[in-house]
Amino acid sequence: MSTDGPIFTRRRENFTCLRCATPVRGTGYTNHCPQCLWSRHVDVDPGDRAAECGGAMEPIGALSEGDGIVLVHRCVVCGHLRRNRGADDDDRDAGLALFGRPVPNPPPAR
Ligand SMILES: [Zn+2]
Ligand SMILES: [Zn+2]
């Protein structure tokens, strides 16, 4: 047996995109729409689904980090800022379009 290494809590939750109505299949890590990159304000800490807000989160910017993309989302209801790691199936053009945008008060990485 070799079960060392971090244990992730994976929650596979499907939801319908609040922005473009794309049915999003949850992977346990990704909680944003692969088409328009909008998300939902459902987490306090990533993956915990503890936020009661439930507002739509607009992708307002993107950063290059490590070998991937980090999307910055802002909740349109409460203004909460959050970073989300981009997913492999995200729309590439939508992600690239976010680069170069000014990101107000970038939230710290978790
Ligand atoms: Zn969408
Ligand atoms: Zn919110």
Side-chain angles (χ1 to χ4, degrees):
M1 60 178 270
S2 60
T3 52
D4 43 77
I7 297 174
F8 294 99
T9 300
R10 294 189 65 156
R11 302 190 191 199
R12 298 168 182 272
E13 287 181 283
N14 302 332
F15 68 97
T16 300
C17 176
L18 295 173
R19 181 69 175 179
C20 70
T22 293
V24 180
R25 197 162 52 86
T27 64
Y29 296 121
T30 299
N31 59 3
H32 57 266
C33 173
Q35 297 297 321
C36 70
L37 307 182
W38 280 59
S39 183
R40 290 186 71 173
H41 189 189
V42 292
D43 296 340
V44 175
D45 288 316
D48 65 6
R49 301 297 186 266
E52 296 180 357
C53 176
M57 296 193 75
E58 179 182 10
I60 58 168
L63 310 165
S64 184
E65 190 173 279
D67 58 354
I69 289 176
V70 172
L71 303 171
V72 181
H73 286 100
R74 181 176 57 203
C75 180
V76 298
V77 175
C78 70
H80 179 73
L81 285 167
R82 193 177 62 201
R83 296 165 62 130
N84 285 297
R85 200 163 256 297
D88 290 340
D89 59 352
D90 286 350
D91 186 276
R92 196 164 285 275
D93 289 337
L96 289 176
L98 295 170
F99 273 98
R101 289 210 206 174
V103 179
N105 304 315
R110 286 186 188 266

